Amino acid sequence: MTAPVLEVDGLSKQFTVNSGLVSRLFGNTQEVTAVRDVSFEVGRGETLALVGESGAGKSTVGNIITRVHEPSSGTVRYRGEDLHSLTGEELMEYRQSVQMVFQDPYSSLDPRYKVGSTVAEPLKIHTELSKDERQERVAELLETVNLDPAFANRFPHELSGGQLQRVSIATALSVDPDFIILDEPVSALDVSVQAQILNLLMRLQRERDLSYLFISHDLSVVKHLSDRVAVMYLGEIVERGETAGLFEAPVHPYTEGLLASVPQANPDDHRRGQRLTGEVPSPIDPPSGCPFHPRCDYATDECTEMNPALEDVFAGRDAACHNWEEVGGEAGARPDAVTVAEESPESED
Amino acid sequence: MSSEPRLSLQDLEVTYTTKHDEVTAVDGVSVDIQSDEIFGVVGESGCGKSTLANTILRLLDDNGEITGGEIRYNGRDLAEMSEKGLSRTVRGREISMVFQDPNTSLDPVYTIGQQLTETIRQHLDVSKQEARERAVQSLDDVGIPSPADRLDDYPHQFSGGMRQRVVIAIALSCNPSLLIADEPTTGLDVSIQAQILDLLKDINENRDTSVVLITHDLGVVAEICDRVGVMYAGNLVEVSPVGVIYNDPKHPYTQDLLKSIPETHDIKEELTVIKGSPPDLRSPPSGCRYHPRCSKVCSEACETGEMPRVYHEGESSVRCYIYDAAENPEYEATTNGTDEQSGEQSQQTKRGEQ
């Protein structure tokens, strides 16, 4: 991996719930930890996927990186600079360099703005371009995302979901960013449109050497698009590694269960491994020890008492599990065993 | 196909009337739902799959109307039945429905026990006590832990996945013979989705309940369905056993749809896309509605003729001129199989000519 563009180190975020006046007067406020000690790096031209179920803290991480939220502790470095020390000019530069695309294009675009004005908005803020130059640039951008430049004069309600998502991407690209946070960018789209947007994202990354932080719960899309994956559960990263290896042989029981739960678009391909039972516990009152232990088939006494740290379990893979060596059955998941696992998918027993 | 189908849709047509236009959202759909199967209906947004689901129980919006065809169920035509009769004997009793969002299906101001017993007492002649017992049993059947204690809880006290189980429990409380589930797992996490799908499968296997599952997710279909209907722009373009859909899809749309999902590609490989976008149903294209996007346009009829009729191809029914020997000269060449097959073909052709 090249030198990281973004380094996230020990990031934690607590929110206060019941923070109304009455609760505060009576001391009934509670803390909920949305993100706990999360660390990762994203290199130039690389895609890191953050995956996990709702409430895992994926979007909170994205929001901290865009400075929507302040972290409770930990640091975010962008090209070596601590994000939360940036002010004035430097902060403007950061906001130009890091862009975001959200899940729902219907709500992320202003319905009263014509598409052209939306795409031109960042140009107004970050560049000195004249009105005509901006219009020219908007036309170019719309072409980049395979839209007819005439769409600049339309309102969002005249466009389909896929077209709107292209507009969101064009807006993000308008100021030549190096880093884009994609928060569930294709979740609201139909299959055939999803393919168009994924192709567009892959092409833009190749052409512009963009780095992506790809936040998604859709594992088949993640598998297709990302170089590395970090799996989150209840605010923590539980496993992290190269995409192909992690999908082939997960070593954290949660990753294993998550992968086994994904419906495969192939009736002959039976899911392997143990599926997840139960539900994600409330983050207000998380379980003791390892947060996953109440749902885990591999749990031992140790798991109920001590939360395992995220550790390097073998080259290129980190996992936070006391019993990672047991996961995936006899074949295990060490690199030397991967080929065995490939040949006998039913290596469960 | 030996026994009588549980539900039979024949040439069903549904039209919505708006201020300026008429939109035929379901156009000439014919399909039989067998008594022991899970039948999946897939398609992209706006293809008419939810309209089709709502039509079976006549739950269409005010501006929607059945403008043709029959809904044969148990010797009756539901399209012709009185509203009162439908409510009393069919809806929630013999055919029940599960919708996408459990938050809007449940009434937040009633306990789930009240909501369950209301359905039970509406349809079955039982005492309050018996209804309550039945309610507990229903909750137990769908895997809600300690059901007796949870009967007096309100919907907000359940998690999203549990709420969908409650909705399914209500739907099953009167032992329906057909369950229609419209995107029952959309919006739920994958682990919960897997659990709900297992539950539907279990219901189908152990209760003599057929399931019609409406979804946009090809993975969900592969997971639990026996047969699949693919909808495009109001037409049911293909009906095939699930294995055929994934291994040897017949209609070009099904083929293109499967090619556009990441699972069928290598990592980072460019995905195959279907050109263009679904048509505006206010002015649908002439000929086959898929022809402007189709990579396999084979005859003039595709562009200018009628929407193709249903052709039978092995175990599949397909609406595509590729399977018409008269329109597609290459047809014989592509499927020149066994005698049995060609015998069936000529039979089909005859039937088509009648």
Side-chain angles (χ1 to χ4, degrees):
Chain A
M1 195 175 80
T2 51
V5 180
L6 183 84
E7 297 163 83
V8 172
D9 190 21
L11 203 64
S12 294
K13 175 71 188 172
Q14 276 100 33
F15 291 104
T16 308
V17 288
N18 295 338
S19 58
L21 180 65
V22 177
S23 300
R24 272 185 284 151
L25 280 176
F26 290 96
N28 282 341
T29 56
Q30 282 173 302
E31 293 268 293
V32 58
T33 305
V35 173
R36 189 197 311 266
D37 198 16
V38 162
S39 306
F40 58 82
E41 296 173 346
V42 186
R44 180 121 188 108
E46 188 193 40
T47 304
L48 174 77
L50 281 185
V51 304
E53 298 180 272
S54 30
K58 316 181 290 284
S59 294
T60 306
V61 170
N63 288 340
I64 292 172
I65 296 171
T66 47
R67 286 196 52 166
V68 173
H69 298 314
E70 294 289 315
S72 305
S73 63
T75 55
V76 178
R77 290 174 176 279
Y78 185 72
R79 294 197 185 123
E81 297 274 345
D82 186 346
L83 170 59
H84 291 272
S85 70
L86 298 180
T87 48
E89 196 94 322
E90 287 172 332
L91 185 58
M92 283 296 273
E93 252 172 59
Y94 175 78
R95 295 220 145 124
Q96 174 171 354
S97 189
V98 176
Q99 292 290 323
M100 190 142 183
V101 174
F102 295 94
Q103 171 172 355
D104 181 5
Y106 296 94
S107 56
S108 59
L109 298 176
D110 192 321
R112 294 166 304 171
Y113 272 39
K114 282 183 181 163
V115 163
S117 318
T118 299
V119 179
E121 182 87 2
L123 294 170
K124 266 194 212 165
I125 297 166
H126 290 288
T127 67
E128 311 267 294
L129 297 177
S130 69
K131 200 174 174 200
D132 288 348
E133 286 169 321
R134 283 203 302 267
Q135 273 180 358
E136 219 170 278
R137 182 97 179 89
V138 167
E140 276 171 33
L141 285 162
L142 291 176
E143 268 176 27
T144 309
V145 296
N146 304 332
L147 283 179
D148 187 335
F151 275 75
N153 292 318
R154 300 220 198 155
F155 285 99
H157 74 262
E158 299 174 74
L159 274 60
S160 70
Q163 289 168 338
L164 290 174
Q165 201 58 307
R166 287 170 197 276
V167 173
S168 301
I169 294 170
T171 312
L173 289 176
S174 62
V175 285
D176 273 322
D178 296 321
F179 194 101
I180 302 183
I181 298 168
L182 303 159
D183 194 349
E184 305 269 12
V186 295
S187 304
L189 305 176
D190 270 321
V191 184
S192 68
V193 183
Q194 171 178 301
Q196 295 167 2
I197 299 292
L198 291 177
N199 280 346
L200 173 65
L201 290 172
M202 289 191 289
R203 192 193 84 212
L204 292 170
Q205 182 169 48
R206 277 198 308 274
E207 287 173 2
R208 297 166 176 240
D209 210 14
L210 292 169
S211 306
Y212 290 152
L213 180 67
F214 191 84
I215 298 170
S216 180
H217 69 278
D218 186 334
L219 292 161
S220 63
V221 170
V222 163
K223 185 177 178 185
H224 193 75
L225 204 78
S226 63
D227 300 296
R228 289 185 306 125
V229 181
V231 182
M232 292 187 72
Y233 185 74
L234 228 57
E236 299 178 26
I237 292 182
V238 295
E239 184 167 2
R240 188 169 61 190
E242 305 281 327
T243 305
L246 187 138
F247 273 79
E248 191 55 53
V251 299
H252 195 284
Y254 177 64
T255 317
E256 187 191 39
L258 199 61
L259 290 175
S261 301
V262 180
Q264 296 293 322
N266 180 354
D268 307 325
D269 183 5
H270 293 294
R271 291 183 290 202
R272 33 182 149 136
Q274 187 61 43
R275 286 207 226 164
L276 293 171
T277 50
E279 298 182 0
V280 182
S282 161
I284 295 179
D285 182 22
S288 64
C290 170
F292 187 60
H293 87 260
R295 302 174 76 188
C296 182
D297 287 337
Y298 304 91
T300 55
D301 291 346
E302 192 186 9
C303 304
T304 60
E305 286 153 20
M306 210 176 80
N307 192 5
L310 185 67
E311 282 173 337
D312 195 354
V313 294
F314 52 76
R317 187 78 64 85
D318 304 310
C321 179
H322 294 300
N323 305 311
W324 68 270
E325 280 166 308
E326 313 283 325
V327 178
E330 293 256 317
R334 278 135 298 223
D336 54 343
V338 168
T339 39
V340 182
E342 253 169 359
E343 277 161 21
S344 56
E346 257 92 47
S347 60
E348 238 327 84
D349 42 43
Chain B
M1 297 260 175
S2 51
S3 62
E4 178 101 331
R6 184 146 288 172
L7 178 80
S8 175
L9 305 181
Q10 273 155 24
D11 225 6
L12 196 63
E13 190 182 294
V14 180
T15 308
Y16 289 108
T17 313
T18 67
K19 222 183 253 173
H20 310 288
D21 313 275
E22 286 202 342
V23 175
T24 307
V26 170
D27 193 6
V29 167
S30 300
V31 67
D32 289 345
I33 310 296
Q34 305 301 331
S35 55
D36 52 356
E37 70 175 347
I38 302 185
F39 186 86
V41 179
V42 287
E44 302 184 87
S45 4
C47 71
K49 54 189 193 303
S50 286
T51 298
L52 182 67
N54 292 335
T55 305
I56 298 172
L57 282 180
R58 301 231 314 261
L59 298 171
L60 292 167
D61 290 340
D62 288 344
N63 63 344
E65 197 187 347
I66 300 175
T67 42
E70 291 181 0
I71 308 167
R72 308 290 315 172
Y73 175 79
N74 242 344
R76 287 166 292 178
D77 180 5
L78 302 187
E80 295 292 326
M81 243 176 125
S82 71
E83 188 68 19
K84 206 173 165 190
L86 199 65
S87 279
R88 211 175 41 227
T89 59
V90 182
R91 278 187 201 142
R93 172 74 189 85
E94 293 183 49
I95 302 178
S96 46
M97 200 151 170
V98 172
F99 297 92
Q100 173 174 345
D101 185 0
N103 301 318
T104 51
S105 315
L106 294 171
D107 193 324
V109 299
Y110 290 98
T111 66
I112 59 148
Q114 286 169 321
Q115 300 187 47
L116 267 160
T117 48
E118 183 195 4
T119 310
I120 295 168
R121 297 202 65 199
Q122 171 83 25
H123 294 297
L124 306 175
D125 185 22
V126 291
S127 70
K128 269 192 178 164
Q129 189 51 37
E130 279 171 291
R132 220 177 140 82
E133 278 160 22
R134 258 191 112 101
V136 173
Q137 185 57 43
S138 298
L139 291 180
D140 196 35
D141 289 346
V142 296
I144 289 182
S146 44
D149 300 337
R150 305 232 49 188
L151 218 49
D152 297 321
D153 284 351
Y154 288 90
H156 75 267
Q157 291 167 292
F158 290 79
S159 67
M162 282 295 158
R163 254 174 251 162
Q164 193 61 300
R165 283 174 195 266
V166 171
V167 173
I168 295 174
I170 294 174
L172 293 177
S173 60
C174 299
N175 272 325
S177 64
L178 179 68
L179 179 70
I180 303 167
D182 189 359
E183 303 269 10
T185 60
T186 308
L188 299 178
D189 276 321
V190 279
S191 63
I192 309 299
Q193 166 169 288
Q195 293 167 16
I196 297 286
L197 293 178
D198 282 347
L199 175 63
L200 289 175
K201 202 167 181 164
D202 182 60
I203 289 164
N204 172 251
E205 279 166 10
N206 299 325
R207 278 174 164 251
D208 188 34
T209 302
S210 308
V211 178
V212 174
L213 178 73
I214 315 281
T215 178
H216 69 280
D217 187 329
L218 292 159
V220 168
V221 167
E223 198 71 36
I224 66 165
C225 293
D226 301 306
R227 286 194 310 142
V228 184
V230 181
M231 285 195 76
Y232 183 78
N235 298 124
L236 193 62
V237 294
E238 174 168 359
V239 176
S240 291
V242 71
V244 175
I245 287 280
Y246 291 92
N247 298 322
D248 183 20
K250 302 295 182 198
H251 196 281
Y253 176 62
T254 319
Q255 294 165 359
D256 294 346
L257 203 57
L258 278 161
K259 277 189 218 144
S260 68
I261 56 174
E263 281 98 326
T264 51
H265 292 76
D266 289 336
I267 289 172
K268 296 234 170 183
E269 187 192 352
E270 191 172 340
L271 300 167
T272 320
V273 286
I274 306 176
K275 61 185 179 192
S277 47
D280 185 342
L281 288 180
R282 283 173 297 186
S283 52
S286 61
C288 169
R289 288 186 173 178
Y290 189 57
H291 90 261
R293 307 176 75 189
C294 183
S295 50
K296 299 203 167 136
V297 174
C298 62
S299 82
E300 232 171 78
C302 293
E303 289 165 27
T304 55
E306 294 284 298
M307 180 72 201
R309 67 174 174 85
V310 177
Y311 298 90
H312 295 270
E313 186 68 13
E315 293 174 90
S316 307
S317 320
V318 203
R319 296 186 72 173
C320 178
Y321 284 118
I322 288 184
Y323 302 99
D324 189 321
E327 298 290 349
N328 180 13
E330 284 172 44
Y331 175 61
E332 300 285 357
T334 52
T335 55
N336 204 354
T338 59
D339 287 345
E340 204 185 315
Q341 254 184 338
S342 44
E344 194 183 47
Q345 271 163 27
S346 57
Q347 213 180 7
Q348 300 304 347
T349 325
K350 243 183 262 166
R351 202 190 293 171
E353 281 162 2
Q354 276 171 4

